[in-house]
Amino acid sequence: CEVCPPHSTSLPGSASLSNCMCTAGFTGSVRGVCVRCNETHAAPCNRAAYGPCEASTYSALEFQGPAIAFPGEVFEFELTKVDVYRQKINDYQSVLQVYSSQRDSPETDRSVAILGAPTSAVVDGVSRFQISVSPTFSAWSWDGVSGSTSLFQEPHIRFQGIDAQDGGRMDSGVLPIAMTSGAGVCNAGYVLDLTQTALGFQGACKRCRA
């Protein structure tokens, strides 16, 4: 077969079936994509690059966040709902929730506190969170001139929700947070405020008073 099957469309430059990857069995190479249009679906669906028919349902949550975070300071996470081809899916109904998580399991990490709104609606396929993370420090020292801190463990978070379009579960997986520690744990003009807990000292950077 030299062309994509009937009722299918392909990426520009993909002329033969060998250059396509069809939804039925996902056969062929990755040079192009060939997808069978669902005639019961009207455009625009996902507005796939290779045609107006829907590429697929939810596949993953793509994550964007800060390269490094200071304890207790507000930062933004962005989650984008995408299909199997990493194309954004238009969704205005689903809701995601953020949780602290263990590194190797979905269980809640009691050493991490998350402050801010725990849920966020998906708007045009994107959900945005403005939260702060307060980790636990296992040790700290201060000699009157300089100080240092050690994290109890690297904090991790996870975003989950129910897909309003098909009822399935959406899950970002466990995401590590690159949290500052050591002598430069806080930005200039901030001080690390510690509260003792059963696991150590939970900390957040707070602005110094004038």
Side-chain angles (χ1 to χ4, degrees):
C1 183
E2 294 299 324
V3 296
C4 290
H7 308 296
S8 299
T9 52
S10 66
L11 281 171
S14 298
S16 68
L17 185 61
S18 62
N19 290 337
C20 297
M21 181 170 64
C22 294
T23 52
F26 293 98
T27 58
S29 75
V30 296
R31 289 175 55 192
V33 176
C34 185
V35 59
R36 183 175 298 279
C37 293
N38 185 341
E39 294 180 350
T40 64
H41 272 86
C45 296
N46 277 7
R47 293 193 179 278
Y50 45 83
C53 49
E54 185 176 27
S56 77
T57 55
Y58 162 80
S59 174
L61 293 173
E62 287 193 340
F63 159 80
Q64 286 187 334
I68 193 166
F70 292 94
E73 289 196 27
V74 176
F75 52 95
E76 183 171 283
F77 280 115
E78 182 176 290
L79 287 300
T80 302
K81 180 183 176 183
V82 297
D83 64 17
V84 71
Y85 304 113
R86 293 298 185 262
Q87 297 175 126
K88 185 179 72 171
I89 297 176
N90 297 330
D91 182 353
Y92 289 86
Q93 297 178 301
S94 301
V95 176
L96 293 176
Q97 185 165 352
V98 61
Y99 304 87
S100 65
S101 178
Q102 299 286 344
R103 181 180 63 183
D104 301 320
S105 76
E107 295 182 5
T108 300
D109 183 356
R110 294 186 296 110
S111 73
V112 174
I114 298 176
L115 303 178
T119 61
S120 175
V122 177
V123 179
D124 191 22
V126 179
S127 180
R128 294 180 174 87
F129 287 80
Q130 287 193 328
I131 59 174
S132 64
V133 174
S134 294
T136 292
F137 295 87
S138 58
W140 63 276
S141 62
W142 173 255
D143 62 10
V145 177
S146 62
S148 185
T149 59
S150 299
L151 284 170
F152 173 72
Q153 61 186 15
E154 184 182 35
H156 295 75
I157 59 177
R158 190 180 195 122
F159 297 88
Q160 293 180 321
I162 300 300
D163 188 345
Q165 294 176 319
D166 64 11
R169 179 175 293 276
M170 298 185 293
D171 192 333
S172 68
V174 176
L175 303 168
I177 304 298
M179 190 68 62
T180 56
S181 61
V185 63
C186 294
N187 261 322
Y190 287 77
V191 63
L192 183 63
D193 183 52
L194 295 170
T195 301
Q196 190 165 7
T197 69
L199 298 176
F201 301 88
Q202 202 161 73
C205 296
K206 295 188 177 181
R207 185 181 295 275
C208 297
R209 295 180 181 179

